[in-house]
Amino acid sequence: MMTSVSDFSARTHPDTICLFDVDGTLTPARLEISKEMEQTLVELRKECIIGFVGGSDLSKQVEQLGPNVLKNFDYCFSENGLTAYKLGEQLASQSFIGYLGEERYKKLVNFVLRYIADLDIPVKRGTFVEFRNGMINISPIGRNCSHPERNEFEKFDLEHKLREKFVVALQNEFPDYGLTYSIGGQISFDVFPTGWDKTYCLRHIEHENFKTIHFFGDKTFKGGNDYEIYSHPIVTGHAVTSPLDTQRILKELFF
Ligand code: M1P
């Protein structure tokens, strides 16, 4: 008899879940998943429950992980789990604007846009603030820059610490907002209520009582956006250096 993928009990280890960061862990940064990684995940799903937890919104994860992402993973956690799906069904969640309120949000976004207007950087494009469900994403160059422009910005930022200085300015301006600023990618940083980091997604699985929760991420150092979930007491964290490294560790653990 065929067993359905939705039947967790049919997996070899039904009490184990593997959660993956996306950029740098399942795919190269902002690029598509490889055929080899896709096949590894198909095999892994026979062994245990699988999910991803990324900072980006779902539309970007669909670009990277493919149009069938909601079918291919048991759990899809976008924006750290503020947008969440189990077996293709959306789970209830909270929103950034609900947390902050329109008035406080307006002050924040006005400050951000003024700050960016005064920044003297070589290239500026568009979409400086991306409003998402569970967070906002702020990019001094603008999110719709090209791939070469994003690589150039990353180098420029490494030298000039633009994003770090921007975060300090926001912390000083809004000390009572209860926000966390997380520099997870190449051209931007995420802003979300403190505690709504990647550990947020664990709320969606806690009732499943998994015995082992593996997490794989490449930004597991303190200050990186994988740090909190990687070091969470109920999580077995794996620091990876690339998607190939993720596959190597999976082979050691499961195949
Ligand atoms: O997944 C890491 C980050 O990826 C993107 O960052 P950037 O565009 O700066 O490389 C963003 O989607 C960001 O929200 C996310 O945390």
Side-chain angles (χ1 to χ4, degrees):
M1 198 182 74
M2 284 276 288
T3 49
S4 140
V5 283
S6 61
D7 185 3
F8 286 179
S9 66
R11 319 284 170 95
T12 313
H13 307 284
D15 52 4
T16 298
I17 183 167
C18 283
L19 291 173
F20 300 92
D21 161 54
V22 180
D23 285 310
T25 300
L26 287 181
T27 74
R30 294 297 304 123
L31 295 177
E32 287 175 23
I33 191 166
S34 68
K35 288 280 163 260
E36 293 73 26
M37 178 63 90
E38 264 180 350
Q39 196 47 42
T40 302
L41 293 177
V42 168
E43 295 303 320
L44 182 65
R45 207 173 178 197
K46 296 177 189 161
E47 300 295 313
C48 66
I49 321 308
I50 66 168
F52 67 80
V53 49
S56 291
D57 54 8
L58 185 62
S59 63
K60 291 191 194 68
Q61 289 153 348
V62 167
E63 280 168 22
Q64 292 178 260
L65 300 174
N68 294 326
V69 75
L70 295 182
K71 283 200 192 119
N72 293 347
F73 287 83
D74 299 302
Y75 286 95
C76 299
F77 295 128
S78 309
E79 303 179 43
N80 298 344
L82 266 301
T83 297
Y85 290 82
K86 177 186 178 185
L87 298 168
E89 299 286 329
Q90 187 156 16
L91 306 175
S93 209
Q94 292 165 276
S95 75
F96 182 78
I97 198 70
Y99 167 85
L100 211 56
E102 292 294 351
E103 276 312 307
R104 293 204 305 163
Y105 174 67
K106 214 161 56 185
K107 284 189 187 134
L108 177 72
V109 82
N110 287 349
F111 179 87
V112 166
L113 293 174
R114 265 188 231 111
Y115 188 97
I116 293 176
D118 290 339
L119 270 182
D120 185 17
I121 52 176
V123 170
K124 282 188 194 173
R125 293 295 178 251
T127 317
F128 301 102
V129 178
E130 187 171 80
F131 183 78
R132 301 178 182 169
N133 176 50
M135 64 171 71
I136 56 169
N137 176 267
I138 298 175
S139 173
I141 181 175
R143 293 212 60 79
N144 61 2
C145 60
S146 66
H147 215 83
E149 286 163 353
R150 90 172 5 249
N151 291 337
E152 280 308 308
F153 177 86
E154 190 181 23
K155 276 193 239 151
F156 185 84
D157 188 46
L158 211 60
E159 197 185 330
H160 297 276
K161 309 280 176 228
L162 269 175
R163 288 184 290 177
E164 280 180 31
K165 290 178 196 159
F166 201 160
V167 165
V168 171
L170 284 163
Q171 283 165 336
N172 290 338
E173 189 69 21
F174 302 101
D176 55 340
Y177 270 31
L179 296 174
T180 292
Y181 304 89
S182 169
I183 303 177
Q186 291 178 288
I187 55 156
S188 64
F189 56 93
D190 296 329
V191 184
F192 46 79
T194 300
W196 292 14
D197 51 58
K198 287 187 183 178
T199 58
Y200 189 94
C201 78
L202 299 174
R203 315 180 185 196
H204 293 298
I205 60 170
E206 61 189 4
H207 64 282
E208 301 276 5
N209 295 319
F210 289 117
K211 280 212 188 94
T212 309
I213 302 174
H214 289 289
F215 171 77
F216 300 77
D218 68 325
K219 300 235 167 40
T220 55
F221 47 86
K222 207 166 180 3
N225 67 351
D226 294 326
Y227 174 75
E228 290 84 359
I229 187 164
Y230 168 79
S231 51
H232 193 282
I234 67 164
V235 170
T236 305
H238 304 274
V240 307
T241 54
S242 66
L244 276 180
D245 197 33
T246 306
Q247 282 172 280
R248 180 189 64 75
I249 299 173
L250 287 174
K251 267 192 202 124
E252 278 175 19
L253 289 173
F254 292 97
F255 307 121

